[in-house]
Each structure stands twice: as structure tokens, then as C-alpha cells.
């Protein structure tokens, strides 16, 4: 066989192998990517995303380290925001444990730019010191937030998170509050919410879809 013919055959075979390699790499990359859900699918799975994210406006609260917590604190990363209180008997510890597990599930992917924040609806008892003794138990990177009652009430209303004080006959009280988890985008805007009850697999895939669609 002439050298020219051998060269053409070699290039042809090399081209075919290269083409096959590109197809295989593309296939592997595609199956490794999370499936992006439509807004309807996300709603069915418990995540409601607004067509236009909502600006919560300016606010000044304080975190469990005694530092100022403002809208700037919500910028630059995604935030999973939950309203609760340290004396909560069930919903709050269950939700915080759930969010800690979710971050573990996202440890090698979205966890790096995801923060979890619990804003207390019981600022009379939940001082920064009380939150500092409570919040890190679930995850040392979680943030607890408190402040004046009126400021907390205004902040909660910005995220459609109603709460009310329920006083017992003996003078003790509990707080009725939303169990939903608010989703805040990296601009600090109210992006949507995960409706309770929460399911780990569903929250994980819908959270990824919401991020992808916003970044796309």
C-alpha cells in the first residue's frame, strides 16, 4: 500500500475515533448533569418560584455573632431562610436538621455558595447569645438572626411568613409560624419558597433547577 494511501486511512480512522470520543464525552457529561425541571414540575414538587423575584427592601437586624445583618448579608450567595425560635418543640429543630442534611447532600456542589439562616420570631427570648448556643448545634456555618420585634415582623412580612404569639392559661407562650423555607437569590431578592412538608430528594432537585434557570 502506498504511503499516501496509508496516511489517508490513518487520518480516516483517527477522525472516526475522535468523533466517537466526542460523542461519548458529551453523553457522559449530559447524564452527570442534574435534570432541569420546569416551573410546573417544581411546583408539583413543592418549590414555588416567582416570575419576578421580590425586593424585600432595606432592613437591619443582628446575627448570633452580634454582627449587623442587612440585605448585603443576603447578596453573593443563595440563601435558604427559615423563620423559627429556639423554644420551638418540633418544627424548628426538624427543619434545621433537614437543612443540615441538605447541605451535606450538596457538599461537593452547591453547598459552597449556599447559606442557611434562621430568623427568630421570638426576639424577646432569642437574644444573640441564645441563638449562638442553639444554631451551631445543627451546623456551625448556619446563621441565627434576631432584632427588635417590629423589625422582625416587618422582615417576616416581606417574605410572606406570618407568625403569632399563642399564650397559655399559665402565662407561658408558643409561636405559630410558617414552616416553609424561603429561597433568596444572590441579589438578595425573594426568589420563591419551598412549601412544607419538605422532602430531601425533591428539595435537592428543585433547588438545583431553580439555580440553573436563574443563572441560564
Amino acid at each position: 500500500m502506498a504511503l499516501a494511501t496509508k496516511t489517508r486511512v490513518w487520518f480516516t480512522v483517527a477522525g472516526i475515533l475522535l468523533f466517537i470520543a466526542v460523542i461519548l464525552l458529551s453523553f457522559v457529561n449530559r447524564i452527570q448533569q442534574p435534570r432541569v425541571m420546569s416551573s410546573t414540575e417544581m411546583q408539583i414538587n413543592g418549590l414555588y418560584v416567582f416570575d419576578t423575584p421580590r425586593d424585600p427592601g432595606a432592613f437591619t437586624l443582628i446575627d448570633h455573632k452580634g454582627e449587623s445583618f442587612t440585605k448585603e448579608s443576603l447578596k453573593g450567595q443563595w440563601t435558604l431562610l427559615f423563620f423559627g425560635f429556639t423554644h420551638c418543640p418540633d418544627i424548628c429543630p426538624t427543619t434545621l436538621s433537614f437543612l443540615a442534611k441538605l447541605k451535606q447532600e450538596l457538599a461537593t456542589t452547591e453547598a459552597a455558595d449556599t447559606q442557611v439562616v434562621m430568623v427568630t420570631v421570638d426576639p424577646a427570648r432569642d437574644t444573640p447569645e441564645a441563638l449562638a448556643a442553639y444554631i451551631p448545634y445543627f451546623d456551625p456555618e448556619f446563621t441565627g438572626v434576631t432584632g427588635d420585634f417590629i423589625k422582625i415582623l416587618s422582615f417576616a412580612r416581606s417574605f410572606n411568613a406570618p407568625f403569632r404569639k399563642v399564650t397559655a392559661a399559665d402565662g407561658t407562650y408558643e409561636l405559630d409560624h410558617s414552616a416553609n423555607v424561603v429561597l433568596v437569590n444572590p441579589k438578595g431578592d425573594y426568589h420563591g419558597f419551598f412549601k412544607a412538608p419538605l422532602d430531601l430528594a425533591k428539595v435537592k432537585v428543585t433547588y438545583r433547577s431553580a439555580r440553573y434557570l436563574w443563572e441560564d
Side-chain angles (χ1 to χ4, degrees), residues 59-127:
F59 56 86
T60 303
L61 302 172
I62 185 170
D63 68 19
H64 72 274
K65 297 180 180 178
E67 299 175 355
S68 180
F69 188 88
T70 67
K71 187 174 180 181
E72 291 300 314
S73 306
L74 297 177
K75 294 182 178 180
Q77 69 278 299
W78 288 84
T79 302
L80 299 173
L81 184 68
F82 174 68
F83 291 86
F85 62 111
T86 62
H87 287 73
C88 180
D90 43 33
I91 294 176
C92 302
T94 299
T95 302
L96 288 169
S97 296
F98 174 91
L99 293 173
K101 177 62 176 176
L102 176 63
K103 281 205 72 176
Q104 291 176 5
E105 290 282 316
L106 302 173
T108 60
T109 51
E110 293 84 0
D113 62 347
T114 299
Q115 68 170 341
V116 174
V117 176
M118 188 192 87
V119 179
T120 182
V121 295
D122 186 18
R125 292 184 291 191
D126 288 344
T127 61

Side-chain angles (χ1 to χ4, degrees), residues 3 40 46-47 54 63-64 81 110 115 137 139-140 171 183 213:
L3 180 60
T40 300
L47 173 58
R54 305 172 185 179
D63 68 19
H64 72 274
L81 184 68
E110 293 84 0
Q115 68 170 341
Y137 171 79
D139 188 305
L183 179 61
L213 292 173

